[in-house]
Amino acid sequence: MRTSRSTVGTMTELNDHLKLLYARAADLFCRGCGREVHRDDPQQVYDDLIEAVAGSEPRIVVTFAIDVPHNFTATEIKQVLEQQGYTRLQSESETRLEVVQDRIRPPMRSESESLRAIEIALERGHGKMAVYPLDENREAGEPWRFSSDLHCPDCDIHYRDPQPNLFSFNSALGACENCKGFGRTIGIDWNLVIPDENSRYVKGR
């Protein structure tokens, strides 16, 4: 049945196949930085670290971040962390603490121990963690960030799981917010309403 939303894709039912293709086989890239977004698991993080440090033996610092609740101070949270065995911080502020989970050398440390450190960091960081490479002077470089959710750790943007309806202009989930999927909007063109702004009728308002 033809409607005002009909297109070549809907009439040939090609859209149904494309929606499934995008939802099942497409790769997600962050709209902020262009980085591919996927769920990181401990094994994937470990493999990425091994690849990143290939040919060298740097120390790396595995960390997770904790936001300080409004009804607590950073000092109080640090005391709780110390009771749990966490005595080292990578960075701190009044609202956020970056806690050191472990310092490891991926090629030399056993894989099981490294995976355990990564797993705990992801768990403690609610699915987010950062790894800092250390130079010869043990100064931290730019962190490598990971997330176990559909979340860009660099831009801190969360994404929902892809569904076929997200790629359909006939669905409220996928339709354009401006045109609602119809491809056109209703508005006022002030250039047509007032074609001559220098008119004496306009100036005399």
Side-chain angles (χ1 to χ4, degrees), residues 27-103:
D27 295 322
L28 173 63
F29 292 87
C30 177
R31 65 174 181 268
C33 64
R35 168 180 175 172
E36 184 175 354
V37 179
H38 55 77
R39 289 184 171 89
D40 294 312
D41 57 45
Q43 185 65 57
Q44 181 63 52
V45 173
Y46 178 78
D47 292 342
D48 288 348
L49 293 178
I50 290 295
E51 182 179 352
V53 302
S56 61
E57 295 182 0
R59 293 181 182 271
I60 61 175
V61 182
V62 178
T63 71
F64 61 89
I66 292 181
D67 292 325
V68 179
H70 297 297
N71 54 337
F72 286 89
T73 64
T75 301
E76 292 173 329
I77 298 300
K78 285 193 288 185
Q79 291 174 349
V80 174
L81 289 170
E82 289 175 358
Q83 294 173 1
Q84 298 174 351
Y86 293 100
T87 58
R88 293 176 295 182
L89 298 177
Q90 182 67 24
S91 64
E92 64 176 294
S93 67
E94 294 182 357
T95 59
R96 191 177 181 86
L97 302 176
E98 196 164 21
V99 186
V100 174
Q101 172 62 41
D102 204 350
R103 295 191 178 199

